[in-house]
Amino acid sequence: MEEKKLDLKTIIGFGVIMLLLLWMIYNNTADQEKEAAAKEKQEQIDKAKKKDIPEPATAQIAQDSVSADSLKNAKLKSTLGAFAYSATLPSAKDTVTTIKNDLLSLSVSNKGGYIKVANLNYEQFEKGSNKRVELIKNNNADFNLQFKTADNRILNTRDLYFEPKLTKEGKNQVLTMRLKAGENQFLEYRYTLKPDEFMLDFSIRTQGLAQVIDTSKPVDLEWKLKSYRNEKSISFENRYTDLIYEYEEGKDNNLGQGSSESDSAEKVSYIAFKQHLFTSILLTDTPFKTADFKLDNLVKDEEKDTVYTKQFAAKMPLDFKGGELSYNMNWYYGPTDYKILNDYDKNLDEIVPLGWGIFGWINRFIFIPVFTLLAKILPYGITIIVFTILIRLVMSPVTYKSYLSQAKMKVLRPEIQEINEKYKNDAMKKQQETMKLYSTAGVNPMAGCLPALMQIPVFYALFQFFPSFFDLRQQNFLWAADLSSYDSIYKLPFRIPFYGDHVSLFPILASLAIFFYMKMTTGDQTMAAPPQEGMPDMSKIMKVMIYISPLMMLIFFNSNPAGLSLYYFISNLITIGIMYVIKNHIVKEDKIHALIAANKSKPKKQGRFQAKMQEMMEQAQEQQKNKPTRRK
């Protein structure tokens, strides 16, 4: 094989390659030296910076933080026991969770788990005032469970933090608030708000706390509310602000209007903190075994005490069953409206003060249905007028009977006076002859009183109806901006005792109508009742009452609802008209004379009662004659 020889070109190529390799080795060594120098320089700078900062500083801070958390947890543990767990959760802060529908807006606080804000969103509540009705705000309410733990601590839920969880069940909003002693150990409040409802479901239950809470004693439930003023007249609103409760399966009671009232009851099924036209109610399916109630009047001076009306408080024990709590309840925050409350079928209509006995029946079964029907087709002011006309027309036969009796008595007055003069020394004979005259003339002296007595239930029922009928709130008519409150036409620069600091026009008109009505009828009343020996002269009293009655009405009605004053104004006008027609076109004096003369000519057959009464009077008269005369 022929051996290859190296030529000049090959030698030159190898030389070039060697030079390139040597140059690359040199550059790499220089770069390494530069990096080493830069690194050494940076180390020197870092050492200089660390002279004032010790190297283990970061580790020390972390260690201090762990130590602080340990101390905090130990302190919580010593104070809250097992419930210290709830204070370490992210929810342990004073925030709220809001649930609302078209009618109601509620904010529930993490701290305490109770309703901290309750507003009504319904537009009728805002009309005229341009603001929502706020039943709860600024910590004016408190809901607390006080219990004893197994390690002898007394804890209050108002001081502890609940963990909120908001979910939905169909259209219902469900808010659970859990006070935790562990992941699966808790006290739970559950709020369920339905669409278009003022009432929400509420339950209290425990899980896994049998070893944490002392279950040998009941848990004390405390509910308090300081009621806000929501209406124009604080004195009138306060008059109808009350604490009402139901007990012993259907009985109901209230605390009244004293400066400070308290009471207790057993088997309590609901408690209502009533604020005149709005109400906060707690209901329970399992009646509270016992309950203690307290009410304090906060309006001492109407010029100064203008924010709150009354302070309510209720305290009830909750019993454990099988080592756990389980109570199903309801909350109601809404209007004191008879129709709404009655529809719940829980006896809540008793919260509306419609009157007791026959007065309440008249309101429930006559006035409310009739007024509601009229209000569907007429404005509320016109509804009151039409409503008044209907009542006066229904009562007109009673008015007629009353006036007819007065007219007959007026015709008989000369004969009665003659009997009084003839037998002035013989009271028994005078009474006997007077009764005989009434009998022959066909006159019943009590006929004038009975119609007046029949009107009392209607009068009292109406007096309860207008202040309690919620639909009148914020309804205007003429100069009255709100028919559920007084109609102020002038604000006085001072306050007049018993009258107020404003002038209402409807009470003035009603008082004038009463004055003219009494002017029209007083003469007939005094002529119908001749003065009796030893009795005060009624004619003089009636003349004074003509001026006193309108004045009393003016003072009393000045702070009452404009709707009530409007009713009495229209009612008295209609009564004046009815009396004018009866007096001038129906019951004329010559007709009465003819009627009485005809009655006298007819033979009268006495009834058993009349015959017995006359027999007794004759026997008494005979005994009087046979009695021996005493010597002076």
Side-chain angles (χ1 to χ4, degrees):
M1 189 175 194
E2 187 176 350
E3 185 178 321
K4 290 184 179 181
K5 294 182 180 180
L6 295 175
D7 57 7
L8 180 61
K9 290 182 179 180
T10 303
I11 295 171
I12 293 171
F14 274 114
V16 172
I17 291 171
M18 290 298 294
L19 288 173
L20 288 171
L21 288 172
L22 289 172
W23 183 79
M24 290 176 65
I25 292 169
Y26 173 78
N27 282 338
N28 186 46
T29 305
D31 289 341
Q32 289 179 351
E33 289 177 354
K34 285 181 181 179
E35 287 181 7
K39 186 176 181 181
E40 183 179 357
K41 186 177 180 179
Q42 185 62 42
E43 288 177 354
Q44 290 175 357
I45 292 171
D46 291 341
K47 286 180 180 180
K49 287 182 177 180
K50 291 180 180 179
K51 283 182 180 180
D52 297 327
I53 303 175
E55 200 167 300
T58 304
Q60 184 65 40
I61 291 171
Q63 186 177 349
D64 288 345
S65 177
V66 172
S67 178
D69 288 342
S70 298
L71 289 172
K72 182 181 177 181
N73 291 340
K75 186 177 180 181
L76 289 172
K77 187 75 174 177
S78 65
T79 306
L80 305 178
F83 289 100
Y85 179 85
S86 65
T88 64
L89 299 175
S91 57
K93 49 189 176 182
D94 198 359
T95 58
V96 297
T97 304
T98 300
I99 54 176
K100 61 182 179 180
N101 58 23
D102 291 340
L103 304 179
L104 192 60
S105 177
L106 304 172
S107 294
V108 182
S109 174
N110 284 16
K111 188 175 183 180
Y114 64 93
I115 297 172
K116 199 171 185 178
V117 177
N119 297 326
L120 301 181
N121 301 327
Y122 195 47
E123 64 174 356
Q124 183 179 353
F125 308 149
E126 303 176 31
K127 190 176 179 181
S129 61
N130 294 321
K131 66 177 184 179
R132 294 180 298 181
V133 171
E134 298 170 312
L135 300 183
I136 301 176
K137 66 173 184 177
N138 298 334
N139 298 317
N140 69 312
D142 181 36
F143 185 83
N144 179 59
L145 295 187
Q146 185 181 85
F147 56 89
K148 186 179 180 182
T149 64
D151 51 359
N152 292 321
R153 291 182 175 86
I154 302 297
L155 298 181
N156 294 282
T157 56
R158 69 163 71 92
D159 303 323
L160 305 176
Y161 290 97
F162 288 66
E163 184 180 57
K165 183 180 180 182
L166 183 59
T167 58
K168 273 201 166 186
E169 292 181 356
K171 294 182 179 180
N172 300 338
Q173 299 173 65
V174 179
L175 175 61
T176 56
M177 306 292 293
R178 288 181 175 178
L179 172 62
K180 291 187 171 182
E183 186 59 34
N184 296 310
Q185 296 174 293
F186 53 80
L187 164 67
E188 180 186 84
Y189 296 163
R190 178 184 169 93
Y191 302 88
T192 303
L193 182 62
K194 303 172 184 177
D196 301 320
E197 282 280 359
F198 292 107
M199 187 175 289
L200 63 152
D201 297 337
F202 175 66
S203 64
I204 299 176
R205 74 180 185 96
T206 60
Q207 178 177 301
L209 296 182
Q211 305 302 319
V212 178
I213 297 178
D214 182 1
T215 59
S216 64
K217 296 181 180 179
V219 172
D220 287 330
L221 186 159
E222 299 171 340
W223 179 34
K224 297 178 182 179
L225 177 69
K226 188 160 32 172
S227 58
Y228 271 106
R229 169 192 181 177
N230 283 307
E231 309 305 324
K232 187 160 59 174
S233 173
I234 191 169
S235 61
F236 186 76
E237 181 177 1
N238 200 30
R239 189 187 308 168
Y240 288 89
T241 301
D242 202 352
L243 190 156
I244 302 155
Y245 57 92
E246 184 187 60
Y247 66 105
E248 295 180 6
E249 300 179 355
K251 298 179 182 178
D252 56 88
N253 199 4
N254 66 305
L255 291 193
Q257 297 298 317
S259 59
S260 181
E261 301 288 343
S262 60
D263 201 358
S264 60
E266 298 180 352
K267 298 180 181 178
V268 175
S269 48
Y270 74 68
I271 303 158
F273 294 164
K274 177 177 171 293
Q275 301 169 236
H276 187 195
L277 294 177
F278 297 95
T279 303
S280 304
I281 312 173
L282 176 63
L283 306 95
T284 176
D285 291 348
T286 305
F288 302 123
K289 187 176 180 180
T290 61
D292 297 320
F293 312 107
K294 195 173 190 324
L295 177 149
D296 292 310
N297 188 1
L298 303 179
V299 183
K300 309 298 181 184
D301 187 335
E302 291 181 14
E303 295 184 7
K304 297 178 181 178
D305 304 325
T306 59
V307 178
Y308 301 102
T309 54
K310 286 187 171 70
Q311 171 72 62
F312 301 109
K315 184 177 180 180
M316 297 77 68
L318 302 182
D319 294 320
F320 288 92
K321 294 180 181 178
E324 302 289 359
L325 288 177
S326 181
Y327 279 81
N328 293 321
M329 304 181 187
N330 296 94
W331 285 109
Y332 175 89
Y333 292 102
T336 313
D337 188 327
Y338 173 81
K339 299 185 293 298
I340 294 174
L341 295 174
N342 189 52
D343 286 345
Y344 285 113
D345 197 24
K346 292 179 179 289
N347 204 31
L348 298 180
D349 58 292
E350 295 295 338
I351 295 171
V352 185
L354 296 176
W356 53 271
I358 188 174
F359 312 116
W361 298 338
I362 292 173
N363 277 324
R364 286 179 174 85
F365 304 119
I366 300 176
F367 289 167
I368 289 178
V370 171
F371 195 95
T372 303
L373 179 63
L374 292 173
K376 288 180 179 179
I377 56 177
L378 298 171
Y380 277 91
I382 304 301
T383 296
I384 292 175
I385 294 174
V386 175
F387 180 71
T388 308
I389 293 171
L390 290 176
I391 291 176
R392 294 317 306 169
L393 288 176
V394 171
M395 297 300 294
S396 59
V398 177
T399 305
Y400 170 75
K401 287 284 186 182
S402 178
Y403 182 76
L404 181 62
S405 176
Q406 291 177 13
K408 288 180 178 179
M409 293 291 290
K410 182 180 177 181
V411 170
L412 291 178
R413 181 184 171 93
E415 295 182 60
I416 294 173
Q417 287 180 325
E418 185 179 339
I419 292 173
N420 289 342
E421 185 64 28
K422 184 176 180 180
Y423 300 105
K424 62 181 179 180
N425 296 324
D426 191 344
M428 189 66 67
K429 184 65 174 177
K430 180 172 63 177
Q431 186 69 19
Q432 187 177 354
E433 291 297 320
T434 302
M435 294 299 293
K436 185 177 179 181
L437 174 63
Y438 288 151
S439 179
T440 55
V443 174
N444 183 359
M446 296 300 295
C449 299
L450 291 176
L453 292 175
M454 290 175 64
Q455 295 185 64
I456 290 177
V458 175
F459 176 86
Y460 184 77
L462 287 165
F463 187 75
Q464 293 291 103
F465 170 79
F466 281 101
S468 302
F469 195 68
F470 180 83
D471 290 357
L472 294 178
R473 187 177 190 271
Q474 303 294 351
Q475 300 295 337
N476 61 345
F477 180 67
L478 299 178
W479 56 85
D482 184 353
L483 288 170
S484 71
S485 187
Y486 58 81
D487 58 308
S488 178
I489 59 169
Y490 181 71
K491 179 75 173 178
L492 298 173
F494 50 83
R495 176 177 290 274
I496 301 175
F498 304 108
Y499 183 73
D501 58 358
H502 62 276
V503 177
S504 296
L505 184 54
F506 277 133
I508 294 174
L509 296 175
S511 299
L512 289 173
I514 286 179
F515 173 78
F516 287 113
Y517 169 72
M518 294 187 72
K519 263 291 193 186
M520 176 187 289
T521 59
T522 297
D524 295 324
Q525 291 173 354
T526 54
M527 289 294 291
Q532 299 292 325
E533 187 178 350
M535 299 294 290
D537 190 347
M538 291 302 296
S539 62
K540 293 181 180 179
I541 295 176
M542 293 303 295
K543 286 178 182 179
V544 175
M545 291 302 295
I546 290 176
Y547 302 96
I548 292 179
S549 294
L551 181 61
M552 289 176 64
M553 181 171 187
L554 178 63
I555 294 173
F556 182 76
F557 281 87
N558 193 60
S559 294
N560 271 261
L564 182 62
S565 302
L566 172 61
Y567 167 82
Y568 283 114
F569 168 55
I570 300 299
S571 177
N572 286 315
L573 284 183
I574 295 170
T575 305
I576 288 172
I578 291 173
M579 288 299 296
Y580 177 82
V581 172
I582 291 174
K583 188 174 182 179
N584 294 280
H585 299 284
I586 299 177
V587 181
K588 293 186 176 181
E589 192 168 325
D590 54 348
K591 290 183 179 180
I592 297 297
H593 276 289
L595 179 63
I596 290 177
N599 287 335
K600 286 182 178 180
S601 63
K602 294 178 183 178
K604 296 293 179 182
K605 184 178 180 181
Q606 288 184 331
R608 290 184 180 180
F609 177 75
Q610 289 178 321
K612 188 66 176 177
M613 286 294 295
Q614 185 166 350
E615 182 183 349
M616 290 173 63
M617 292 176 69
E618 289 175 354
Q619 290 176 356
Q621 187 178 7
E622 190 65 28
Q623 291 175 1
Q624 186 72 20
K625 287 181 180 179
N626 296 331
K627 187 180 288 187
T629 305
R630 291 184 179 181
R631 293 182 178 181
K632 292 184 179 179

